[in-house]
Amino acid sequence: MWAFLQQMSYWDWLALGVILLILEVFGAGGYLLWIGMAAAAVGVLTFILPQLSWEMQFLLFGLFAMATALYWWRRQRSAVRESDQPLLNLRGQELIGKTFQVHEAIIDGRGKIKVADGVWLVKGPESPVGTRVRVVAQEGAVLSVERDD
């Protein structure tokens, strides 16, 4: 093992970089990409400076890997931006404040309203079919409603 470490060439680093890039293809989320680039950078430096000791090569690899991982982390954080439609996947939340007609009478505090082509369970005051109600809250898959007078 020590003999291998003492005689590491740029081919070894480039091969490690290629292996990491191939593994990235299988879905590592970008992390192996940058570590593979760090290994390739050490390979290039080892080609340019063949007298680099194996200790220095590993130290450079560790520094490059941390620097590229930090770069990737900062880039990912800066890429997050606020949505112009924050309730896009929160269907029940986007219904709050809107009015609908009771589809199945609300009896004992439970009933149904029709929303577009779907039906939602609701809880609220006793109401016959056709009564207009306003959604005031969501609790899981059940909407809380009140009469819209």
Side-chain angles (χ1 to χ4, degrees):
M1 181 68 166
W2 289 107
F4 174 74
L5 291 176
Q6 292 173 345
Q7 296 179 356
M8 284 193 67
S9 70
Y10 65 93
W11 285 114
D12 298 317
W13 287 106
L14 293 176
L16 176 63
V18 168
I19 289 169
L20 290 170
L21 293 175
I22 289 170
L23 290 174
E24 173 63 32
V25 171
F26 294 109
Y31 298 104
L32 292 181
L33 169 72
W34 297 103
I35 295 174
M37 296 299 279
V42 172
V44 169
L45 279 176
T46 305
F47 178 75
I48 295 170
L49 304 168
Q51 71 276 10
L52 278 176
S53 67
W54 68 271
E55 295 96 348
M56 184 59 77
Q57 292 175 24
F58 275 92
L59 180 66
L60 287 172
F61 174 67
L63 290 173
F64 288 160
M66 285 190 293
T68 56
L70 182 63
Y71 167 76
W72 177 249
W73 179 72
R74 284 189 177 174
R75 181 181 164 130
Q76 288 295 90
R77 287 197 49 172
S78 68
V80 175
R81 55 181 183 258
E82 291 296 319
S83 173
D84 59 339
Q85 297 178 351
L87 299 177
L88 182 63
N89 290 323
L90 302 172
R91 181 71 190 270
Q93 294 291 317
E94 69 182 17
L95 297 176
I96 294 175
K98 296 184 179 177
T99 58
F100 302 96
Q101 287 189 348
V102 173
H103 183 68
E104 286 184 19
I106 301 175
I107 301 171
D108 293 330
R110 297 278 186 187
K112 294 183 181 179
I113 60 171
K114 185 159 179 75
V115 178
D117 61 347
V119 177
W120 282 74
L121 293 172
V122 296
K123 67 177 187 176
E126 303 274 330
S127 303
V129 174
T131 305
R132 300 215 28 101
V133 293
R134 183 179 330 110
V135 178
V136 293
Q138 176 191 10
E139 297 172 19
V142 179
L143 300 174
S144 295
V145 296
E146 62 184 25
R147 285 189 177 190
D148 186 40
D149 296 327

